[in-house]
Amino acid sequence: MSKKGYWMAMIDVRDPDVYKQYIEANAVAFTKYGAKFPVRAGRYENPEGPTGNRHVLVEFESYDKAVECYHSPEYQHASKFRFAASTGHFVIVEGA
């Protein structure tokens, strides 16, 4: 059985209106690849310094599926809105 894959992102949203377009557009890829959201925004505390104003953990059934989703045409289309509206840190990792 393969390990789950995760996207971990700490984002600083500069333009909420454009970022909403990202959220709407990414739903296509996330539905196609079976994404789940253990964390999607919500309250946070950053005791060790700035981490952005939006934090997301996206879960996929496998690491390979997480990578496929990122490189998919559907997500690449959506990511243009994210890049236009925000900066941040993003990583794809394999679960334990």
Side-chain angles (χ1 to χ4, degrees), residues 44-56:
Y44 66 92
E45 183 175 329
N46 49 7
E48 296 187 6
T51 61
N53 56 23
R54 186 171 178 86
H55 308 91
V56 180

Side-chain angles (χ1 to χ4, degrees), residues 18 21 24 43 55 76 92 94 96:
V18 174
Q21 292 177 285
E24 292 169 6
R43 295 186 331 162
H55 308 91
Q76 289 304 302
I92 302 172
E94 185 175 58

Side-chain angles (χ1 to χ4, degrees), residues 4-91:
K4 291 187 177 186
Y6 296 89
W7 290 10
M8 297 167 39
M10 296 184 298
I11 305 297
D12 191 24
V13 177
R14 295 182 318 270
D15 187 334
D17 292 329
V18 174
Y19 199 83
K20 286 178 188 175
Q21 292 177 285
Y22 165 66
I23 292 170
E24 292 169 6
N26 72 27
V28 175
F30 290 155
T31 298
K32 180 178 178 178
Y33 289 91
K36 296 179 182 175
F37 296 89
V39 177
R40 193 172 200 181
R43 295 186 331 162
Y44 66 92
E45 183 175 329
N46 49 7
E48 296 187 6
T51 61
N53 56 23
R54 186 171 178 86
H55 308 91
V56 180
L57 178 66
V58 186
E59 179 182 272
F60 296 86
E61 67 181 39
S62 69
Y63 175 79
D64 291 339
K65 194 67 84 172
V67 171
E68 285 176 37
C69 182
Y70 183 83
H71 293 290
S72 72
E74 296 87 355
Y75 185 74
Q76 289 304 302
H77 167 73
S79 70
K80 293 174 186 176
F81 297 111
R82 181 171 61 88
F83 294 136
S86 66
T87 58
H89 299 282
F90 181 101
V91 65

